[in-house]
Amino acid sequence: MTALEPQSINWQVTSNRQAHRTDRFSGQQLTVRRGQPFSFSMNLNRSLDSGDSLGFIASTGPYPSESARTKAVFPLSSGISRGGWSAQLVSNKDNVLTISISSPANAPIGWYTLSTQISSQGNDFVQKLGTFILLFNPWVQEDGVFMSNHAEREEYVQEDAGIIYVGSTNRMGMVGWNFGQFEEGILDICLSILDHSLNFRRDPATDVARRSDPKYVGRVLSAMVNGNDDNGVISGNWSGSYTGGRDPRNWNGSVEILKEWKRSGFRPVRYGQCWVFAGTLNTVLRSFGIPSRVVTNFNSAHDTDRNLSVDVYYDAYGRPMDKGSDSVWNFHVWNEGWFVRTDLGPSYSGWQVLDATPQERSQGVFQCGPASVTAVREGDVNLDFDMPFVFAEVNADRITWIHDVRNNTQKQNSTDTRSIGRYISTKAVGSNSRMDITEKYKYPEGSSQERQVFEKALGKLKPRMAFGATSARHLERGGREPSISGKFKVTGILEVGKEVNMALILKNLTSDMKTVTVNMTAWTIVYNGTLVHEVWKDSVTISLDPEEEIKHPVKITYAQYEKYLKADNMIRTTAVCQVSDEAEVVVERDIILDNPSLTLEVLDQARVQQPVNVQMLFSNPLDEPVKDCVLMVEGSGLLLGSLRIDVPTLRPKERSRVRFEILPTRSGTKQLLADFSCNKFPAIKAMLSIDVAE
């Protein structure tokens, strides 16, 4: 009798991928989820005999070992085994065995090799059968990433396009983002991110074994999506100058970034800012099966010294100063991943903050999280990971200082306990509307619980300071009430190319006459507060009758700001108002100018595998030509890769109409994203939902 040998394998890829909900990944690689059986059939050279024994080996990583649980050796059995790896004989006819393989719900994720171990006719040998990818399984209750709600699971694992909120508290905007986790080659690149991490390079065996744990994987990815320590995916740049790379505002999604990283031999892609890091991390988390979402925090504090306050400085002329290392970002974007916290206990499971934007080192590396959102809300800043930093982002106090350049002294001007951490936002499940999740991060501003949580956190971070902290919070301006109030009001339309019209409204709060000296400036800024250039300044002295209110007009022309405006379209106006010998009043307002609109329209009904025409409309609003115009278009399921179209120079006030073709590959509602850039408008965005019929 001849020795038993496998002749061919049928991996039953289509049915396995459907059963494991991995059928949206492009390509024909067997991709399955842990804790759930998959089947394949094996054609043998003869029928199975009582003297033959058949077993299997599943292994992952460069040094697989049974003790590290990166290798499993298990027999073919007729019963179902619980917990570990197992192989069950489903049917045996005409030399064809159908076998069902089960993996544990806590197996490490990644590439696996499956081999068979055959003992036949006194011969023992091992034969490699093939490879497969094992992912997290949010559909299975035993998996740490299990999510019970069907609609949430569809959104946070299977949705491949989304919306990211940007702008400022008084003008929230949004950009579409193509996550594209199912696009060709993306899952492979995401898995290779793990193999480029510092942890893998130092100790591959341990690193691969720890890939069973979503909190470990999430933390590694938060370090690897930025390129700071490890040749990770994206190089950050907030300078306002992006030569040698792409303006962060020009990206439409993660697919191009990940492909570029691989194409360049794994060198960081230039350039990203927070929403680019978050959009890309979201792609990787969803591709692995960790439910995740992109979250925006408006007025986000960057507290560098763990004292839960951020210091903001102005000089006497009203100029904002780059002094101190703290800052307040108009908005900051991070991610939340959904998984259990076995290290902290069940009450801290659920959403966890992961932040790939490189701001502060954690354990020597630019990484952040996972920080339990519940723990942030309760002020448990002593827990892992990076809790004090995340807590400060949404809760710090903002302290304004006036710096006297002549004698190098500064005095505290005001304390604001309410402006940090506003309108924390994410895209709603199943729709493009904004969902406000601020109450998940903190108790209502000004409530007694919110105060108690702040005191608790401060007590854990700075035991000696906590005692005097409360009084400091209530003793604003050293206890003296200001005699005047001020605010900037926008009085015209805010559009790039138009004059900015505002009014500084000053009110005398007393029954005495007051003389106010006002120093005003306006700077173009990057959204994280980086000052780009002063574009306007003015000084006036204003007399106010008792309880009088006046409006002082502010005009900034296009010619003044045009050269210095960045793709953020942000201008910061500041007024320092001095009343004789009293404390100054600082008035500040960030404004965002609107871009001209970019319109996309589909010209016929979209159907799978049928070309569809789309047209883009754009009007040049300026009295001068715009040149170097480029339109970049992408959308998962609508076109392969991205489309780049050079658009001819537009004369003043000229309207442009550009037609292009897309070829949908999947049915359902898909998101088409466009970015139009030219010498006068660095990044104009448009998005369009397209319903694709079968």
Side-chain angles (χ1 to χ4, degrees):
M1 209 174 179
T2 55
L4 191 68
E5 262 181 65
Q7 307 262 270
S8 64
I9 301 281
N10 176 356
W11 289 109
Q12 302 179 4
V13 171
T14 305
S15 57
N16 280 323
R17 282 165 55 117
Q18 271 169 343
H20 286 252
R21 300 174 179 86
T22 58
D23 46 329
R24 296 186 197 181
F25 287 105
S26 71
Q28 278 305 297
Q29 178 62 44
L30 177 61
T31 304
V32 294
R33 298 188 186 277
R34 63 188 196 173
Q36 183 179 340
F38 65 92
S39 304
F40 67 95
S41 54
M42 192 157 68
N43 213 329
L44 301 171
N45 60 339
R46 61 170 175 78
S47 60
L48 200 58
D49 191 78
S50 58
D52 302 319
S53 95
L54 204 56
F56 295 94
I57 303 168
S59 63
T60 183
Y63 306 108
S65 83
E66 289 182 78
S67 60
R69 297 182 49 250
T70 49
K71 175 182 179 182
V73 180
F74 48 100
L76 179 62
S77 62
S78 49
I80 300 171
S81 98
R82 284 264 161 252
W85 286 88
S86 65
Q88 190 194 350
L89 184 59
V90 179
S91 74
N92 173 7
K93 59 172 200 277
D94 305 335
N95 304 356
V96 177
L97 306 183
T98 301
I99 293 159
S100 170
I101 301 264
S102 294
S103 62
N106 59 357
I109 61 144
W111 279 100
Y112 274 78
T113 299
L114 186 67
S115 304
T116 180
Q117 218 172 7
I118 295 177
S119 194
S120 164
Q121 306 293 315
N123 262 351
D124 287 353
F125 68 98
V126 173
Q127 186 173 334
K128 178 179 162 177
L129 299 175
T131 58
F132 62 94
I133 294 171
L134 190 68
L135 299 176
F136 290 106
N137 196 344
W139 283 267
V140 163
Q141 199 155 3
E142 295 74 33
D143 196 313
V145 302
F146 173 67
M147 187 172 244
S148 57
N149 181 305
H150 169 77
E152 291 183 355
R153 218 169 34 213
E154 283 300 302
E155 176 76 43
Y156 298 137
V157 181
Q158 299 287 64
E159 190 53 66
D160 60 3
I163 280 170
I164 301 177
Y165 294 93
V166 296
S168 65
T169 49
N170 51 26
R171 208 171 179 82
M172 278 184 249
M174 57 187 213
V175 293
W177 194 263
N178 179 26
F179 299 124
Q181 66 268 34
F182 303 119
E183 294 300 291
E184 183 139 20
I186 293 301
L187 176 56
D188 219 13
I189 297 171
C190 292
L191 287 166
S192 73
I193 292 176
L194 295 176
D195 290 347
H196 281 81
S197 77
L198 294 176
N199 296 18
F200 181 81
R201 284 186 247 166
R202 284 189 205 115
D203 182 354
T206 306
D207 172 72
V208 171
R210 295 189 69 186
R211 293 179 190 177
S212 58
D213 181 358
K215 74 175 178 294
Y216 176 78
V217 170
R219 186 158 173 81
V220 167
L221 293 175
S222 82
M224 279 302 299
V225 168
N226 67 68
N228 285 47
D229 310 282
D230 39 35
N231 275 340
V233 182
I234 301 161
S235 178
N237 180 341
W238 288 265
S239 68
S241 162
Y242 309 111
T243 44
R246 203 190 275 198
D247 186 318
R249 293 261 171 185
N250 290 139
W251 300 108
N252 285 322
S254 322
V255 176
E256 275 197 277
I257 293 170
L258 290 164
K259 287 185 168 171
E260 172 63 30
W261 181 62
K262 184 182 176 187
R263 209 172 28 241
S264 72
F266 305 105
R267 285 210 287 284
V269 176
R270 302 178 184 168
Y271 289 107
Q273 288 170 359
C274 66
W275 69 94
V276 182
F277 291 105
T280 304
L281 178 53
N282 212 57
T283 297
V284 188
L285 291 166
R286 285 187 186 178
S287 75
F288 288 172
I290 299 176
S292 63
R293 60 189 185 185
V294 176
V295 171
T296 303
N297 177 37
F298 290 95
N299 288 354
S300 190
H302 178 175
D303 171 26
T304 54
D305 47 12
R306 291 174 60 126
N307 63 355
L308 298 191
S309 65
V310 289
D311 301 305
V312 183
Y313 296 88
Y314 298 94
D315 69 13
Y317 301 101
R319 286 191 291 246
M321 296 178 71
D322 256 337
K323 190 175 153 41
S325 49
D326 289 350
S327 55
V328 178
W329 297 29
N330 282 21
F331 66 91
H332 178 43
V333 187
W334 59 69
N335 303 77
E336 288 176 1
W338 175 272
F339 44 85
V340 297
R341 288 300 295 267
T342 45
D343 56 328
L344 303 181
S347 60
Y348 296 105
S349 292
W351 290 116
Q352 313 289 326
V353 173
L354 292 163
D355 190 348
T357 299
Q359 294 184 88
E360 294 289 310
R361 288 184 191 276
S362 167
Q363 295 174 319
V365 174
F366 282 101
Q367 58 188 351
C368 181
S372 160
V373 174
T374 306
V376 173
R377 187 169 192 247
E378 299 303 330
D380 295 324
V381 293
N382 51 314
L383 301 177
D384 286 344
F385 293 88
D386 307 305
M387 283 289 303
F389 185 77
V390 178
F391 183 85
E393 286 181 306
V394 298
N395 285 305
D397 289 349
R398 185 177 193 272
I399 301 176
T400 306
W401 299 83
I402 305 273
H403 182 82
D404 188 328
V405 186
R406 286 182 311 245
N407 49 18
N408 198 25
T409 57
Q410 55 240 1
K411 54 179 191 282
Q412 188 172 329
N413 175 268
S414 63
T415 303
D416 181 348
T417 63
R418 290 175 175 238
S419 68
I420 299 292
R422 305 281 304 278
Y423 307 115
I424 304 175
S425 305
T426 189
K427 174 192 172 301
V429 172
S431 84
N432 280 355
S433 51
R434 184 182 77 87
M435 180 162 78
D436 193 299
I437 54 171
T438 311
E439 91 290 351
K440 297 274 189 275
Y441 279 83
K442 53 188 186 179
Y443 289 99
E445 218 40 272
S447 66
S448 60
Q449 298 115 305
E450 190 256 350
R451 293 274 58 91
Q452 284 160 5
V453 165
F454 188 90
E455 299 300 333
K456 170 181 168 184
L458 201 56
K460 289 183 172 191
L461 288 176
K462 293 257 195 303
R464 297 180 308 287
M465 273 178 60
F467 177 69
T470 320
S471 48
R473 278 176 86 94
H474 298 307
L475 195 76
E476 304 195 2
R477 305 177 177 280
R480 277 176 63 182
E481 278 305 305
S483 59
I484 58 158
S485 70
K487 65 175 188 205
F488 280 112
K489 184 170 190 261
V490 175
T491 54
I493 50 167
L494 297 174
E495 283 180 11
V496 179
K498 302 250 182 354
E499 181 174 82
V500 173
N501 284 291
M502 299 164 77
L504 174 64
I505 300 173
L506 291 178
K507 183 165 193 200
N508 184 349
L509 304 173
T510 69
S511 46
D512 305 320
M513 177 108 183
K514 293 287 175 190
T515 303
V516 190
T517 311
V518 184
N519 290 315
M520 291 177 283
T521 65
W523 288 69
T524 52
I525 60 168
V526 178
Y527 78 97
N528 70 338
T530 300
L531 301 171
V532 178
H533 206 281
E534 185 176 73
V535 294
W536 171 88
K537 63 174 183 234
D538 192 15
S539 290
V540 286
T541 302
I542 293 169
S543 295
L544 288 172
D545 288 332
E547 292 174 27
E548 184 188 9
E549 180 176 279
I550 65 111
K551 289 184 177 152
H552 178 75
V554 169
K555 281 185 175 20
I556 309 169
T557 64
Y558 178 52
Q560 284 171 305
Y561 69 76
E562 165 199 14
K563 282 214 277 299
Y564 305 112
L565 193 69
K566 293 296 160 189
D568 304 73
N569 289 355
M570 287 185 184
I571 297 176
R572 173 167 293 173
T573 50
T574 312
V576 172
C577 312
Q578 174 81 52
V579 185
S580 55
D581 59 343
E582 300 171 31
E584 298 97 328
V585 172
V586 178
V587 185
E588 185 185 74
R589 173 86 185 248
D590 287 348
I591 57 164
I592 300 178
L593 306 183
D594 287 342
N595 277 321
S597 63
L598 186 67
T599 312
L600 294 173
E601 44 193 45
V602 186
L603 302 179
D604 11 52
Q605 163 70 53
R607 291 186 189 287
V608 173
Q609 296 303 346
Q610 286 183 17
V612 189
N613 284 303
V614 179
Q615 101 177 343
M616 182 262 329
L617 302 171
F618 174 73
S619 294
N620 175 10
L622 304 178
D623 295 320
E624 52 187 313
V626 298
K627 50 181 198 284
D628 310 325
C629 308
V630 175
L631 178 68
M632 301 284 287
V633 185
E634 73 178 87
S636 285
L638 293 172
L639 68 170
L640 290 172
S642 65
L643 200 57
R644 180 196 154 103
I645 300 162
D646 290 312
V647 179
T649 294
L650 285 167
R651 294 190 298 277
K653 308 289 189 203
E654 187 185 358
R655 189 167 185 214
S656 169
R657 177 180 279 143
V658 174
R659 285 199 180 180
F660 55 91
E661 205 175 71
I662 59 173
L663 183 67
T665 51
R666 294 201 298 275
S667 61
T669 305
K670 302 289 165 216
Q671 188 168 282
L672 188 70
L673 297 166
D675 174 82
F676 178 80
S677 61
C678 59
N679 64 330
K680 297 293 179 186
F681 300 101
I684 303 179
K685 298 289 187 191
M687 63 184 216
L688 178 66
S689 288
I690 299 180
D691 292 314
V692 180
E694 274 300 345

